[in-house]
Amino acid sequence: MPPPEHHRSGRAGWLRAAVLGANDGVVSIAGLVVGVAAAGAEPTVVLASGVAGTVAGAFSMAAGEYVSVHSQADTERADLALEREGLRDHPTRELEELTDIYRERGLDPELARRVAEELTAHDALGAHARDELGYHELRQPRPLQAAFASSAAFIAGAALPIVTAVLAPHAHVAGITTASTLVGLSLTGATAAWLGGAPLLRGAMRVVFWGAAAMLASGLIGNLFDVAA
């Protein structure tokens, strides 16, 4: 017997939120540190900016994910309510819809009708949710899970540029932070790709590219405001 398959679709909700949070934490806080350092600010100002940005960003990511995923859950509940109403008021029409779906997927008309009837008898709403609306239990929206994953990942990602800013010589904070950020992004991108079953190099390169662009833009803007002058 071959070993059982381990699918990754169940990770989609929290993995998306965590990857987004980690990458945003690394890039946004590193950009903030690089921009403030490039402007010639004192080390305490650079550190305070990074810490303040981390706190604000973590709450922002949590709130954004919660609202976004909760809106998705609200939409799904509204759709299910419509289906429940249709099954109650127009059961024959709903049965025909389900039959047409299975026929379009390749079943002959007689078998499609029999499958639709049996699934309707077993769990009509579940059959319509899955096969008509495309909803699945593994991808069920979980607002709190997404909010926590995104916020925690943001803080973890932001720790890299903050620690770098503390340990690096003040004159080289911008350059060292940029270098460490790109290394960190390559690791988070590869890890996310590995968890999702995608090629590691492709996952690393796409986040490194955008991270490098952010560092460059932040440094250029910081140089426009030479507070040390």
Side-chain angles (χ1 to χ4, degrees):
M1 293 290 294
E5 298 175 333
H6 298 285
H7 298 288
R8 297 177 172 86
S9 56
R11 304 171 178 173
W14 67 263
L15 179 60
R16 181 197 62 80
V19 169
L20 179 63
N23 288 339
D24 198 22
V26 175
V27 174
S28 62
I29 302 305
L32 181 61
V33 167
V34 168
V36 174
E42 292 296 322
T44 53
V45 176
V46 175
L47 178 59
S49 299
V51 172
T54 298
V55 174
F59 276 97
S60 177
M61 292 298 293
E65 282 293 333
Y66 183 82
V67 171
S68 175
V69 178
H70 212 296
S71 297
Q72 180 185 351
D74 290 341
T75 300
E76 291 193 7
R77 280 194 292 268
D79 284 344
L80 291 176
L82 287 176
E83 284 300 318
R84 192 177 291 110
E85 181 180 336
L87 288 167
R88 184 192 65 222
D89 298 338
H90 307 284
T92 302
R93 185 190 66 188
E94 294 297 324
L95 180 61
E96 291 296 335
E97 285 183 356
L98 209 55
T99 301
D100 290 341
I101 289 172
Y102 298 138
R103 190 178 67 250
E104 290 173 359
R105 291 181 180 179
L107 298 182
D108 65 72
E110 182 180 350
L111 180 57
R113 178 74 176 197
R114 189 163 69 249
V115 169
E117 290 174 343
E118 293 188 11
L119 288 179
T120 297
H122 174 68
D123 181 8
L125 184 61
H128 282 272
R130 180 182 60 252
D131 297 324
E132 181 181 349
L133 302 177
Y135 297 157
H136 196 282
E137 184 178 354
L138 289 176
R139 295 186 292 274
Q140 182 180 0
R142 294 178 173 85
L144 287 176
Q145 181 191 66
F148 176 79
S150 183
S151 179
F154 184 95
I155 294 173
L160 175 62
I162 290 178
V163 170
T164 302
V166 171
L167 299 179
H170 178 58
H172 303 290
V173 166
I176 295 176
T177 300
T178 298
S180 64
T181 295
L182 296 180
V183 172
L185 286 174
S186 67
L187 293 177
T188 59
T191 300
W194 176 69
L195 290 172
L200 301 187
L201 182 59
R202 184 186 305 168
M205 291 306 298
R206 59 191 175 197
V207 294
V208 167
F209 171 80
W210 291 108
M215 298 302 100
L216 178 61
S218 298
L220 292 175
I221 293 174
N223 284 324
L224 297 178
F225 301 91
D226 189 0
V227 299

Short mmCIF file of all heavy atoms in Angstrom, two decimals, residues 183-222:
data_model
loop_
_atom_site.label_atom_id
_atom_site.label_comp_id
_atom_site.label_asym_id
_atom_site.label_seq_id
_atom_site.Cartn_x
_atom_site.Cartn_y
_atom_site.Cartn_z
N VAL A 183 18.85 38.60 3.20
CA VAL A 183 19.09 37.22 3.61
C VAL A 183 17.86 36.66 4.32
O VAL A 183 17.42 35.52 4.05
CB VAL A 183 20.32 37.13 4.54
CG1 VAL A 183 20.46 35.72 5.12
CG2 VAL A 183 21.59 37.50 3.79
N GLY A 184 17.29 37.46 5.23
CA GLY A 184 16.09 37.00 5.92
C GLY A 184 14.93 36.76 4.98
O GLY A 184 14.19 35.77 5.14
N LEU A 185 14.76 37.63 4.00
CA LEU A 185 13.67 37.45 3.04
C LEU A 185 13.86 36.20 2.20
O LEU A 185 12.88 35.51 1.86
CB LEU A 185 13.56 38.68 2.13
CG LEU A 185 12.96 39.93 2.76
CD1 LEU A 185 13.05 41.09 1.78
CD2 LEU A 185 11.51 39.70 3.16
N SER A 186 15.09 35.91 1.86
CA SER A 186 15.33 34.68 1.09
C SER A 186 14.95 33.44 1.91
O SER A 186 14.39 32.48 1.37
CB SER A 186 16.80 34.60 0.67
OG SER A 186 17.66 34.42 1.79
N LEU A 187 15.20 33.50 3.23
CA LEU A 187 14.84 32.36 4.08
C LEU A 187 13.33 32.26 4.26
O LEU A 187 12.76 31.16 4.19
CB LEU A 187 15.52 32.51 5.45
CG LEU A 187 17.04 32.40 5.45
CD1 LEU A 187 17.60 32.65 6.85
CD2 LEU A 187 17.48 31.03 4.94
N THR A 188 12.66 33.40 4.50
CA THR A 188 11.20 33.33 4.67
C THR A 188 10.51 32.94 3.36
O THR A 188 9.54 32.17 3.38
CB THR A 188 10.64 34.69 5.14
OG1 THR A 188 10.96 35.71 4.18
CG2 THR A 188 11.22 35.07 6.50
N GLY A 189 11.02 33.44 2.25
CA GLY A 189 10.43 33.07 0.97
C GLY A 189 10.61 31.59 0.67
O GLY A 189 9.67 30.92 0.21
N ALA A 190 11.80 31.06 0.96
CA ALA A 190 12.05 29.64 0.73
C ALA A 190 11.22 28.78 1.68
O ALA A 190 10.70 27.73 1.29
CB ALA A 190 13.54 29.34 0.90
N THR A 191 11.09 29.22 2.93
CA THR A 191 10.30 28.46 3.90
C THR A 191 8.84 28.42 3.50
O THR A 191 8.18 27.38 3.57
CB THR A 191 10.44 29.08 5.30
OG1 THR A 191 11.81 29.06 5.70
CG2 THR A 191 9.60 28.31 6.32
N ALA A 192 8.31 29.57 3.09
CA ALA A 192 6.92 29.61 2.65
C ALA A 192 6.71 28.71 1.43
O ALA A 192 5.68 28.02 1.32
CB ALA A 192 6.52 31.04 2.32
N ALA A 193 7.66 28.72 0.51
CA ALA A 193 7.55 27.87 -0.67
C ALA A 193 7.59 26.39 -0.28
O ALA A 193 6.84 25.57 -0.81
CB ALA A 193 8.68 28.19 -1.65
N TRP A 194 8.44 26.06 0.68
CA TRP A 194 8.54 24.67 1.14
C TRP A 194 7.24 24.22 1.80
O TRP A 194 6.75 23.13 1.53
CB TRP A 194 9.70 24.55 2.12
CG TRP A 194 9.82 23.19 2.73
CD1 TRP A 194 10.20 22.02 2.13
CD2 TRP A 194 9.52 22.85 4.10
NE1 TRP A 194 10.15 20.98 3.01
CE2 TRP A 194 9.75 21.45 4.23
CE3 TRP A 194 9.11 23.59 5.20
CZ2 TRP A 194 9.56 20.79 5.44
CZ3 TRP A 194 8.93 22.92 6.40
CH2 TRP A 194 9.15 21.55 6.52
N LEU A 195 6.68 25.06 2.66
CA LEU A 195 5.42 24.72 3.31
C LEU A 195 4.29 24.58 2.31
O LEU A 195 3.38 23.77 2.50
CB LEU A 195 5.05 25.79 4.35
CG LEU A 195 5.92 25.84 5.61
CD1 LEU A 195 5.57 27.05 6.45
CD2 LEU A 195 5.75 24.56 6.43
N GLY A 196 4.34 25.36 1.25
CA GLY A 196 3.29 25.31 0.24
C GLY A 196 3.56 24.33 -0.89
O GLY A 196 2.74 24.19 -1.79
N GLY A 197 4.72 23.67 -0.86
CA GLY A 197 5.05 22.70 -1.89
C GLY A 197 5.51 23.31 -3.20
O GLY A 197 5.44 22.66 -4.25
N ALA A 198 5.99 24.56 -3.17
CA ALA A 198 6.45 25.24 -4.38
C ALA A 198 7.99 25.21 -4.45
O ALA A 198 8.66 24.92 -3.45
CB ALA A 198 5.96 26.69 -4.39
N PRO A 199 8.58 25.52 -5.62
CA PRO A 199 10.04 25.56 -5.73
C PRO A 199 10.65 26.57 -4.78
O PRO A 199 10.19 27.72 -4.69
CB PRO A 199 10.27 25.95 -7.20
CG PRO A 199 9.02 25.52 -7.91
CD PRO A 199 7.92 25.72 -6.92
N LEU A 200 11.71 26.18 -4.06
CA LEU A 200 12.30 27.04 -3.03
C LEU A 200 12.94 28.29 -3.64
O LEU A 200 12.76 29.40 -3.11
CB LEU A 200 13.36 26.25 -2.25
CG LEU A 200 12.89 24.98 -1.53
CD1 LEU A 200 14.01 24.43 -0.66
CD2 LEU A 200 11.66 25.26 -0.68
N LEU A 201 13.69 28.12 -4.73
CA LEU A 201 14.39 29.26 -5.31
C LEU A 201 13.42 30.31 -5.81
O LEU A 201 13.62 31.51 -5.60
CB LEU A 201 15.30 28.79 -6.45
CG LEU A 201 16.15 29.89 -7.11
CD1 LEU A 201 17.06 30.56 -6.09
CD2 LEU A 201 16.96 29.31 -8.27
N ARG A 202 12.36 29.88 -6.46
CA ARG A 202 11.37 30.83 -6.97
C ARG A 202 10.72 31.59 -5.82
O ARG A 202 10.53 32.80 -5.88
CB ARG A 202 10.31 30.10 -7.77
CG ARG A 202 9.28 31.02 -8.43
CD ARG A 202 8.18 30.21 -9.09
NE ARG A 202 8.71 29.24 -10.03
CZ ARG A 202 8.00 28.27 -10.57
NH1 ARG A 202 6.72 28.13 -10.26
NH2 ARG A 202 8.56 27.42 -11.42
N GLY A 203 10.38 30.87 -4.75
CA GLY A 203 9.77 31.53 -3.60
C GLY A 203 10.70 32.53 -2.95
O GLY A 203 10.26 33.59 -2.50
N ALA A 204 12.00 32.21 -2.91
CA ALA A 204 12.97 33.13 -2.30
C ALA A 204 13.20 34.35 -3.17
O ALA A 204 13.22 35.49 -2.67
CB ALA A 204 14.29 32.40 -2.04
N MET A 205 13.33 34.16 -4.46
CA MET A 205 13.70 35.26 -5.35
C MET A 205 12.60 36.31 -5.46
O MET A 205 12.88 37.50 -5.55
CB MET A 205 14.06 34.72 -6.73
CG MET A 205 15.34 33.92 -6.76
SD MET A 205 16.74 34.84 -6.07
CE MET A 205 16.84 36.22 -7.20
N ARG A 206 11.34 35.90 -5.43
CA ARG A 206 10.29 36.89 -5.63
C ARG A 206 10.16 37.82 -4.44
O ARG A 206 9.86 39.01 -4.61
CB ARG A 206 8.97 36.20 -5.94
CG ARG A 206 8.44 35.25 -4.91
CD ARG A 206 7.28 34.45 -5.48
NE ARG A 206 6.81 33.42 -4.55
CZ ARG A 206 6.05 32.41 -4.93
NH1 ARG A 206 5.69 32.29 -6.20
NH2 ARG A 206 5.66 31.51 -4.05
N VAL A 207 10.42 37.33 -3.21
CA VAL A 207 10.36 38.24 -2.07
C VAL A 207 11.65 39.06 -1.94
O VAL A 207 11.62 40.21 -1.51
CB VAL A 207 10.07 37.48 -0.76
CG1 VAL A 207 8.70 36.88 -0.78
CG2 VAL A 207 11.11 36.42 -0.49
N VAL A 208 12.78 38.49 -2.36
CA VAL A 208 14.04 39.24 -2.32
C VAL A 208 13.98 40.41 -3.28
O VAL A 208 14.45 41.51 -2.97
CB VAL A 208 15.23 38.31 -2.65
CG1 VAL A 208 16.49 39.12 -2.94
CG2 VAL A 208 15.49 37.36 -1.49
N PHE A 209 13.40 40.20 -4.45
CA PHE A 209 13.32 41.27 -5.43
C PHE A 209 12.56 42.46 -4.87
O PHE A 209 13.02 43.61 -4.92
CB PHE A 209 12.64 40.76 -6.71
CG PHE A 209 12.31 41.85 -7.70
CD1 PHE A 209 13.30 42.34 -8.53
CD2 PHE A 209 11.03 42.38 -7.77
CE1 PHE A 209 13.02 43.35 -9.45
CE2 PHE A 209 10.74 43.40 -8.68
CZ PHE A 209 11.73 43.88 -9.51
N TRP A 210 11.38 42.21 -4.32
CA TRP A 210 10.57 43.31 -3.81
C TRP A 210 11.16 43.89 -2.54
O TRP A 210 11.04 45.10 -2.28
CB TRP A 210 9.13 42.84 -3.56
CG TRP A 210 8.41 42.54 -4.83
CD1 TRP A 210 8.06 41.31 -5.31
CD2 TRP A 210 7.99 43.49 -5.81
NE1 TRP A 210 7.44 41.43 -6.53
CE2 TRP A 210 7.37 42.76 -6.86
CE3 TRP A 210 8.06 44.88 -5.90
CZ2 TRP A 210 6.84 43.39 -7.98
CZ3 TRP A 210 7.52 45.49 -7.01
CH2 TRP A 210 6.92 44.75 -8.03
N GLY A 211 11.84 43.08 -1.76
CA GLY A 211 12.52 43.62 -0.59
C GLY A 211 13.65 44.55 -0.97
O GLY A 211 13.84 45.61 -0.37
N ALA A 212 14.42 44.18 -1.99
CA ALA A 212 15.51 45.03 -2.46
C ALA A 212 14.97 46.35 -2.99
O ALA A 212 15.56 47.43 -2.74
CB ALA A 212 16.31 44.30 -3.54
N ALA A 213 13.86 46.29 -3.71
CA ALA A 213 13.26 47.52 -4.23
C ALA A 213 12.82 48.43 -3.08
O ALA A 213 13.00 49.65 -3.13
CB ALA A 213 12.06 47.18 -5.12
N ALA A 214 12.27 47.85 -2.03
CA ALA A 214 11.83 48.64 -0.88
C ALA A 214 13.01 49.28 -0.17
O ALA A 214 12.95 50.45 0.24
CB ALA A 214 11.04 47.76 0.09
N MET A 215 14.10 48.53 -0.01
CA MET A 215 15.28 49.08 0.66
C MET A 215 15.86 50.25 -0.14
O MET A 215 16.27 51.28 0.40
CB MET A 215 16.36 48.00 0.82
CG MET A 215 15.98 46.81 1.68
SD MET A 215 15.50 47.25 3.35
CE MET A 215 13.71 47.18 3.17
N LEU A 216 15.91 50.07 -1.45
CA LEU A 216 16.45 51.13 -2.31
C LEU A 216 15.59 52.39 -2.22
O LEU A 216 16.13 53.51 -2.04
CB LEU A 216 16.50 50.64 -3.76
CG LEU A 216 17.00 51.66 -4.80
CD1 LEU A 216 18.41 52.09 -4.48
CD2 LEU A 216 16.91 51.06 -6.21
N ALA A 217 14.29 52.23 -2.31
CA ALA A 217 13.40 53.38 -2.24
C ALA A 217 13.50 54.07 -0.87
O ALA A 217 13.55 55.31 -0.78
CB ALA A 217 11.96 52.95 -2.50
N SER A 218 13.56 53.29 0.20
CA SER A 218 13.65 53.86 1.54
C SER A 218 14.95 54.64 1.74
O SER A 218 14.96 55.73 2.32
CB SER A 218 13.54 52.76 2.59
OG SER A 218 12.30 52.11 2.51
N GLY A 219 16.05 54.06 1.25
CA GLY A 219 17.33 54.75 1.38
C GLY A 219 17.38 56.05 0.62
O GLY A 219 17.90 57.06 1.11
N LEU A 220 16.83 56.04 -0.59
CA LEU A 220 16.82 57.27 -1.40
C LEU A 220 15.98 58.36 -0.75
O LEU A 220 16.36 59.53 -0.72
CB LEU A 220 16.30 56.95 -2.81
CG LEU A 220 17.20 56.07 -3.68
CD1 LEU A 220 16.50 55.73 -4.99
CD2 LEU A 220 18.54 56.75 -3.94
N ILE A 221 14.83 57.97 -0.22
CA ILE A 221 13.98 58.95 0.44
C ILE A 221 14.63 59.47 1.71
O ILE A 221 14.59 60.67 2.02
CB ILE A 221 12.60 58.34 0.73
CG1 ILE A 221 11.87 58.06 -0.57
CG2 ILE A 221 11.77 59.27 1.62
CD1 ILE A 221 10.56 57.33 -0.41
N GLY A 222 15.27 58.59 2.45
CA GLY A 222 15.95 59.01 3.67
C GLY A 222 17.05 60.02 3.40
O GLY A 222 17.26 60.96 4.18
#
